[in-house]
Each structure stands twice: as structure tokens, then as C-alpha cells.
Amino acid sequence: MWLEFGEPHYLWALLPLALHAWWMGRRLQLLSPARRRMALGLRLVLLALLLGALAQARTTRQSDQLKVIFLVDQSESVPPAQREYARAFVEDAMKQMGARDQTGVIMFGGDASVERAPSRDQELAPFMSVVDRSRTNLGEAISLALAMFTGESQKRIVILSDGNENTGDAADAARAAAAAGVALDFVPLEYHNRNDVVLEKALVESRVSLEEPFDVRVIASSRGATEAQLSILQDGRLIGRDTVRLEADKKNVFVVSTQVRDAGFHTFEVLIEAEGDQIAENNRGYAFTYGQGEPRVLLVDGDARPSDALPAMLLSEKIGVERVTPEGLPHSLRDLQSYDGIIFNNVGAGDVTADQMRLIEQAVHALGIGFMMIGGEHSFGAGGWKDSPIERILPVSMDIKNEKILPQGALALVIHTCEIPQGNMWAEKIALAALDTLSPRDLMGVLYFGYPGGESWLFPLQEAGNKGRMRSLIQSIQPGDMPTFDPTLQMAYDGLMSTNASARHIIIISDGDPAQPNPALVRQIQAAQITISTVLINPHSPRDRDMMKKLAQEGGGNFYDVVAYNKLPQIFIKEAATIRKSLIFNEPFLPVISQGSPLLAGLGQGYPVLGGYVGSSPKELADVPLTTDKGDPLLAHWRHGVGKTVAFTSDAKERWGAQWVGWGEYGKFWTQAVRWVLRAPVNPNYQIQMDVEGGVGRITVDAIDAAGNFQNFLDIAGQVVSPELEPLEVALRQVGPGRYEGEFPVERPGTYMLGANARAQGAEGADLITGGTALSYSPEFRDARSNTALLGRLADLTRPWGRRLDEQSFVFAHNLPSRTEPKPLWPLLLSLALVVLLLDIFVRRVLVDWRDLRLAAATGWGWVEERVLGRRKVDAATGGLLEIKRQVRERESEAQQRETREEFLASLKQVRAEGDSPVAQAGPRAEPRSRPASPVDRAAPRGATGSAPAGGEGSYTDQLLRARQRARGNLKKD
């Protein structure tokens, strides 16, 4: 241990300050020599302490503490047995750490999480951290461990992993550890699946011609030579199956020839299976191609009895049509890519899931697929599309902004406790779904049974304009078990009757066990034209179901017996939309041309009468070629991202469009509208290749023109849509003649779809580029054996300390370079300076009478002996002796006082004799200054002229005063 200073230049001030302190000490002449020396010493010590604090004095010593952080691999590639071994290793090692040692634990996979901060606790709690198991990122785990080390202890990181890194850069992190003097040790979690077969890739050309053969190439590998079954599916249909031979530790390539007959996007799924294969996840792969041909649309029809007029017309115009109900709407972007356009014909929001809405939004915005909504009683605002992803992509909003003609609806929601898993979460979701469906002027209120208040309004009926506050209240709801329906139904009825809404509706969600409501109350509600719908969840008996169904029938609403809880939000969207039916205008009108549009080219000026429409408002940048007689949009269109969308607020069937169906230009109108909205044809001059490697997706585009020349200096940018439907912006850069490359992050297995525009410099238009790739399985399943060699290389980067650990006892070996551990002294120095300052002030300002201190100490000790210790010091004999001693001391004191007085009087006589001597009287006499007469003066005879009286000594007091004055040198001689 030695002393050092962080700011040593402050020490130069010690000498001048010491001289100043010495000079100050010379001014303390009034003090006794001992006190003066003590004060000067304390002042010098005080200055030295303050300068030491300013100079940041500290002691340093070699640290003998060891900190160890364990990195435990939790990725999917580590078998369960190896994960248990890793935990046991850490647990046993912690029991061997020294008294001052500390251990921490980090769990890692694709990311890293601190499971336990460094501490001296030798007990290991159950692991609780949740990490991304689909990846292995050793570099992030090492970096997090380095950030956890504090102080100047010896530092060691112990990695327990299979070493199969597939993202990040562990080597860079290991070099950072070596630079910081941290040892990297490792415990390999070893395994070897000898019979594992891995499908490496499935490849196909990005563009193919219809009914022309092309190849599907399959690349597979195996740790051992084996036979396997190879199956290939096209768009879910098996097109080939064969037995193939795999050679060990080699890239085996198989080629299967096929063709496509339909235009659009096609998916190929490849599956390879072998006997004894222990990992099934890495046996599947996907590839995509686009067949150039006639456009295809997906027609989603929401009518129970759909009309054939529109699909027949589109087929006659060579536009391929696939008709489905809302239940048949695809659930993946990969499937939507097969279509160039999607048409919703009178489809309500309650028939489409939130995920499907987001799919369509990304298909339009990022991939360029067109979207059209055709009206009807279930469409637009009347269908509950308010505040949905579909509303975001349409050129119209779902409200009528002219408040004078905007009808108002009122909804009362009665929520009984949901006795299902996460019941309160579902109660919150359904209430929010209903709220989002309403316009700002619609009324909504929520009733529930709470503890201890009973039946009450969460918030009473009010306009939904302040949705933020209503959302906050809904998110705090905790509904209880309602005993009977009567109080809440009565409150809902009273609240709805107090409004002037044109449509009033009650929705009840319950398990059906509250007491049946009073029939008279239900009839009263029905007579007021208030409808009731019921939603049954998890009933306790058939009687509960019957009661809820009967209540809906008597209330004129709908009954839902819910089994799939994820359907609840859709149900409440559909029910909430019933109060928005007032947006429907069942009035004949003539369409009005408001502006020119390519959708109306060649149609002339006259249009047949339409029988009704759904009210809406145009968005700011939308084109509105046709309006109603009230000025509301009838036909509107715009671009959204890469794609285009169209809104037609009337219908395309016999209900409102009976005269249009028989109109001679019916086919031309709809053909032009559909062709305008379709995705732009893919330019065959662009060849695109997409691949995934090491957590990165790579895009390569080769661009040539019709003459076969390279297209250079193109601006190519777009979006890749991830499996979570998150758009990833990409921009491709030119890397060679006609070749462009770009990258995007790949974090999850699934399909990644690309939509991009290629624009030449100075050109107005752009060519659409589409493509796709898939990460078929997590990279964790690519390797069939552990990678101990990688762990060894990481340890070598921190040599001579890094090593492989086979026993727990080596974990806490103190064989690392010792580090100096500084300890700051300024807090101690300042504390001591404060104490010295107080002593300095005491010595200079306080005069101590040591006799008084000794007397006080003796008195105090006597009191302690008598009162605390109980010692009685006197008895009869001793008391007599003490009394004799006291009397002797008193006599000696009186004799001493007499002797002292006699000496004083003799001295006084001598003074007087000196005052009467001739020498004293020689020379002129000075006039005495007038002064008050002293006691000695007053004792002289009145006739005396300068000397003391010849006879008599005056009083004892006068003699004493004269002696004191003489001693002080103040006596004036006459």
C-alpha cells in the first residue's frame, strides 16, 4: 500500500501557507508559551489536511478480489440436457468462491439479459430471464458482461455455450475483453446429431412464363450418408415426391422441373425427411416466383346471396376473379401476393380480423396491390370501418363532416365479469373495439358491476369525441360478478331515453348466470325501439344459454354463443356498427361529375340513377370524379404508398344499382375502375434474387432494357414487409453494370416480401419490382453439432489467461494480473480537518484553569464512588482523624495569613519612608494633577502638603490598595 495524489500541484501551496501560519503564530504573544506552540502546531496540521484533500490524496493497494460473470446460452440449438448441465456447473462453482469474490450471471440467446448482478451470495436462484432463443449472439453477451464489471478487481468471464454463433461478432467483443484485461474462459456444451439432415436452400427463378418449364433447385446436407424423401409443393399442392441419396458433409443439389399455369405470385414449399433425423425444424424451405399473365383480383363478397353481375363482367374483360367470403380472406402476405387487386363488396369490419386488415394495408402500401371498396349496408362507416387500417388506405373517411346532416347513435355496453382466461383483458379489448367504431358525435356509455359500489356507470352516455379519456377509463375496468340484470338494464334504458339519438342499442356480455331480467322491463325497452344484443361466454349450464338467447330475441338484436375468444372484438365492432346505420341514405339520386378522371374516360356525361349510398367524406389529397346530389363522394381514388385504392359508396348490385346493372356502360365503367387500381405489371427486364444469410437479407437486382443493354444510374427504393408486418425501408445501390444490391435485417423466421420502384433519372414513371424470400427456420437449427473451436478461438484472444474449464475449482483461481485498487482519502482528511479546526479555536480562545479541572474531576469521582459504586469512605475512627486534620489545616492557614499581613505592612512602611526622604523632596515641586482622591489620599490629615502622615498606617484596606498600585507601577510620588 502506498500514498499518491491525483492533483499533486496543490502541494506547492504548503510552504507559503506554513510561513503564513508561523507569522500568524507570532501574533499570539498574549498566550503562554505552551498554548502558543500548541496553537501553531494545530494550524499547520489543519492546512496540511486541507491541502491533502485538494490534492486528492489516495492510498493504493493490490486487489485480491475476483469477479466472475457466467454467460449461459439459452438458444434453441442447446439441447435441454446441456442447459441443465450449464446450470449445475454454475451452481457448483459458486459454492467454491472466496470470501471477497463475487459472481454474476447473464442469460443470452439473440439478446442478453442480466439474471444476477455480481454479489457474494453463494445461492443460485431459479433462472427467470426471458431471451430471444431463435438466435445466438455471443458478442452482445460478452459486451454486457464487460459493462457489468466495476472497480479494480481481477475479472473473469466464463462462457457456457455450444458456440454456434449466428448473429453479432463475438471476436470483436473478445478483443475488447483482452484490452480490458478480462479473461475469457469457456465450458463447451457439446452435442453431435449424426443423423441430422438439413435443407439448406430452395431456389427458383424470380420471373417465369406461363406453361413454360422451369427448374426448382434444392440444396441439402447431412452429417452422414443416408437416403431421404424429397417432396415439393406448389401453392400447397404436391407436384413431386422422390427418394434421394445424401452424401455426408457435402452440399447435395437436386433439380425438379415444373411449370405454372396461372398468372401471379406462386409459392414452392420443399420438405426433406430422413430416418433417424432428430431435428425436424430444419427440413423445410420456401421459394417464390411470379408468373406473368392476365391480372387476377380477389373478390371478397359480404352478401349472403352475392350478385354475379360484377364477377361475370370482369371475367368477360379477361380479368381473373377469385371469389371468397370474408372467412376465406388469406392470412398471410405470401398468399395475398398471388393477386393484383382486392375488392371488398359490401363487407363489414366485423367480418375481418385486425391482422387481416393490417395485411391488406401493407399489401397496398408496400407491395403495390390495389384495393377497392364497394358500398352497401355493411360497408364504409355503416360497416364499422371507422379508425381501422382499411380506412387509412381509402381515399374517404367514414364520417360526414357536415354536422347538420350527421345522424347520431347511442350505445350502452353492459359488461359482466368474464370468467375466462385473461377475462378482464378481453373486457377491455371488446370495449375499445366498440369505441373505435363510433364517430365523435355518437354516444357511448359502459355499465358494470363493481366492488364495493355495485352496479354503476364506468362513464355515462356521452359523445365519443374525447376517446383518449374514455380509453383510459376502459383500460382500468375491473368488472365483478353481477347478481341480476335488472339494475344495469334499467340504468341503460334511462340513459338511452334521455338522448335524442336516432339509433339506440344495448350490448350485454355475460356468462348468463345473473338473475333473468324482468319481462316488463324488456318489453318497455323494446317498445322504445331500443335493441338488445347478447354475447354469451363460458356459460355454466344450458339454462344460461337459453336465457341469453331469449333476451336477444325479445330485444330485437343478435345472439352470439362465443367459443373462440379472439372473435370477440369483431363481434363488438359489428354490433357497435348497428347504431351507424343512419349513415345509409336510401334516397334515389343522379351522380354528379365533379372532375375528370381516367376512370371515367369515354363514359360521356349521363349516368343512371342510383338508389342509395353510404355517407362519407373525401380526404384532402383524394380525387373525387363523382359525387352525390348532396355533395358526398360517390367515386374517389388516390395513391397510397406503392399501391392505389378506389372507393365507390353505392353498390354494384340490384339493391341500389339496379339501373346501373342494365346500363350499357356498366362493364366499361367497372373495367376501367378495376384496371386502374390493379398493381402495375412487373417489368420482365428486372431479374431479382433475394436470400437470407447470417441474420441479413440480401437483394440483388439485374436491370436491362428491351434491347438487352444494362440500365445504369437507376433510383431503386421500396419496402420489405417482415413477418410481423413491419415495413423495412430499403434502398438499392449500384455495384456494377446494371446490378443493384441492398440489405435488410432478418430477425424472425417467416416470409419477407419486397415491393420497390425503379425510376430512371428524369423519368416521370417508375417500374414496379416485387419479390420475396423466406427464413424457413431459425438459424439455431442449421448446425447439427456444437462449435467448440469458436469458443477456443475466443479464449485464445485473451491469452495467457483464457482457457477451457473442465472443473469448477478453476473458476475462482486467483491467477489473473493483480490490479491496484485506489481508495480516496479526501473524506477522511476533511473530517479530521474539521476536528482540528475546533481544537485550534479552543486552544486560542479558551483559558483552562487546570486546578479547577482537577478539583472538578476529584469531586465528580467522589460522587461516583459514593452514589454509583456505593462506597462509604468514613467510619467513626476515620472520621475523628479527618476532623483533627481539618482543624490543623485551619490553624496553619490562619498563621500563614497573619504572617502575610505582617510582611505586607512592613513593605508598606518602607514605601512611606522612601516618600519622606530628602532626595524625594529636592527640586521644584510639580503641581499635582487633579484626580479623584484615592483611599490612601483620603486617609492623610487635611493639612498635609505632600507626604503621608507621620504617624499611623491608615486602614488595612488603604494599605492594601497602595501596595497593589505600587505593584502595577502606577503609584505617583509626591
Side-chain angles (χ1 to χ4, degrees), residues 949-973:
E953 299 177 347
S955 69
Y956 178 78
T957 303
D958 292 339
Q959 298 172 14
L960 183 60
L961 287 172
R962 297 275 294 179
R964 178 181 296 178
Q965 290 174 354
R966 181 175 180 275
R968 292 181 176 178
N970 295 325
L971 181 65
K972 302 297 181 179
K973 298 180 180 180

Side-chain angles (χ1 to χ4, degrees), residues 840-896:
D840 177 60
I841 295 172
F842 181 82
V843 169
R844 287 186 293 107
R845 299 295 183 184
V846 180
L847 177 62
V848 180
D849 189 336
W850 297 105
R851 292 175 299 177
D852 291 344
L853 287 178
R854 286 194 295 271
L855 178 60
T859 304
W861 176 246
W863 183 89
V864 169
E865 281 189 322
E866 182 177 353
R867 300 295 181 87
V868 178
L869 301 179
R871 299 175 182 173
R872 300 195 61 83
K873 300 173 60 177
V874 292
D875 51 19
T878 305
L881 292 174
L882 289 176
E883 179 63 22
I884 294 171
K885 186 176 181 179
R886 183 185 64 79
Q887 293 175 2
V888 170
R889 284 182 175 177
E890 288 180 354
R891 287 195 296 270
E892 290 178 350
S893 177
E894 291 176 356
Q896 185 176 3

Side-chain angles (χ1 to χ4, degrees), residues 784-795:
R785 68 194 321 172
S786 54
N787 190 355
T788 305
L790 173 66
L791 299 175
R793 289 195 297 272
L794 298 179

Side-chain angles (χ1 to χ4, degrees), residues 136 151 177 343 353 427 446 564 587 747 754 891 958:
T136 300
I343 301 175
T353 68
V446 178
E587 303 170 1
E747 298 181 352
L754 168 70
R891 287 195 296 270
D958 292 339

Side-chain angles (χ1 to χ4, degrees), residues 884-966:
I884 294 171
K885 186 176 181 179
R886 183 185 64 79
Q887 293 175 2
V888 170
R889 284 182 175 177
E890 288 180 354
R891 287 195 296 270
E892 290 178 350
S893 177
E894 291 176 356
Q896 185 176 3
Q897 290 177 3
R898 284 195 300 272
E899 183 180 355
T900 302
R901 185 174 62 179
E902 291 174 356
E903 291 178 355
F904 177 76
L905 293 176
S907 176
L908 186 62
K909 288 179 181 180
Q910 183 181 354
V911 170
R912 287 177 175 174
E914 292 175 353
D916 294 335
S917 66
V919 176
Q921 295 177 3
R925 292 180 57 90
E927 289 296 331
R929 286 181 294 177
S930 63
R931 56 179 177 83
S934 68
V936 178
D937 296 332
R938 288 194 298 269
R942 291 187 179 271
T945 60
S947 62
E953 299 177 347
S955 69
Y956 178 78
T957 303
D958 292 339
Q959 298 172 14
L960 183 60
L961 287 172
R962 297 275 294 179
R964 178 181 296 178
Q965 290 174 354
R966 181 175 180 275

Side-chain angles (χ1 to χ4, degrees), residues 522-813:
V522 177
R523 288 193 298 270
Q524 189 178 12
I525 293 173
Q526 185 182 27
Q529 297 183 339
I530 299 173
T531 54
I532 303 174
S533 290
T534 60
V535 182
L536 179 66
I537 299 180
N538 196 28
H540 299 288
S541 67
R543 183 193 66 81
D544 298 336
R545 183 182 185 279
D546 294 340
M547 189 272 290
M548 291 285 283
K549 184 176 182 180
K550 180 182 177 183
L551 179 57
Q553 290 172 344
E554 293 177 350
N558 300 310
F559 168 69
Y560 302 90
D561 189 356
V562 179
V563 177
Y565 304 142
N566 59 352
K567 297 289 186 182
L568 283 170
Q570 293 174 252
I571 291 172
F572 278 80
I573 290 173
K574 183 182 296 186
E575 284 299 310
T578 60
I579 69 169
R580 307 216 68 204
K581 298 302 181 184
S582 53
L583 289 172
I584 298 173
F585 293 87
N586 286 302
E587 303 170 1
F589 68 93
L590 275 172
V592 178
I593 300 176
S594 59
Q595 67 182 76
S597 169
L599 281 66
L600 304 181
L603 292 178
Q605 299 297 315
Y607 293 87
V609 172
L610 287 167
Y613 69 97
V614 182
S616 63
S617 299
K619 292 182 180 176
E620 184 176 354
L621 300 178
D623 293 319
V624 187
L626 293 177
T627 65
T628 70
D629 56 344
K630 293 183 173 63
D632 295 330
L634 173 63
L635 176 67
H637 60 83
W638 72 348
R639 290 183 176 272
H640 183 77
V642 183
K644 296 176 282 189
T645 65
V646 171
F648 187 76
T649 59
S650 188
D651 66 12
K653 58 187 179 181
E654 288 77 6
R655 180 181 179 186
W656 290 337
Q659 296 189 37
W660 276 56
V661 173
W663 179 36
E665 302 291 345
Y666 177 83
K668 185 175 183 179
F669 171 81
W670 285 112
T671 300
Q672 290 182 172
V674 172
R675 286 194 182 278
W676 183 88
V677 82
L678 291 178
R679 176 170 51 187
V682 176
N683 192 327
N685 294 329
Y686 295 94
Q687 291 295 323
I688 180 171
Q689 182 67 43
M690 297 181 65
D691 198 6
V692 176
E693 191 70 38
V696 177
R698 293 181 173 84
I699 306 169
T700 302
V701 174
D702 291 307
I704 59 174
D705 58 19
N709 300 316
F710 294 120
Q711 296 189 59
N712 298 318
F713 311 113
L714 297 177
D715 180 13
I716 304 179
Q719 291 181 330
V720 172
V721 183
S722 72
E724 295 83 14
L725 302 181
E726 296 295 332
L728 308 172
E729 300 290 337
V730 293
L732 278 66
R733 65 189 183 280
Q734 187 168 3
V735 296
R739 171 160 287 195
Y740 302 83
E741 292 182 353
E743 295 181 348
F744 58 93
V746 175
E747 298 181 352
R748 296 285 186 276
T751 303
Y752 293 80
M753 310 304 297
L754 168 70
N757 282 328
R759 180 177 287 103
Q761 291 182 354
E764 294 183 0
D767 294 325
L768 179 65
I769 299 175
T770 62
T773 187
L775 181 61
S776 305
Y777 50 85
S778 168
E780 290 295 302
F781 300 112
R782 184 176 295 276
D783 299 299
R785 68 194 321 172
S786 54
N787 190 355
T788 305
L790 173 66
L791 299 175
R793 289 195 297 272
L794 298 179
D796 288 343
L797 290 173
T798 63
R799 283 199 176 278
W801 315 302
R803 60 191 172 166
R804 173 173 176 161
L805 298 178
D806 294 315
E807 296 183 17
Q808 293 89 338
S809 59
F810 293 123
V811 172
F812 293 96

Side-chain angles (χ1 to χ4, degrees), residues 31 33 76 99 107 119 163 233 285 297 416 447 457 530 587 611 669 873:
L31 300 181
E76 290 177 329
M107 316 295 287
S119 71
L233 293 86
V297 298
H416 180 206
L447 284 156
W457 289 98
I530 299 173
E587 303 170 1
F669 171 81
K873 300 173 60 177

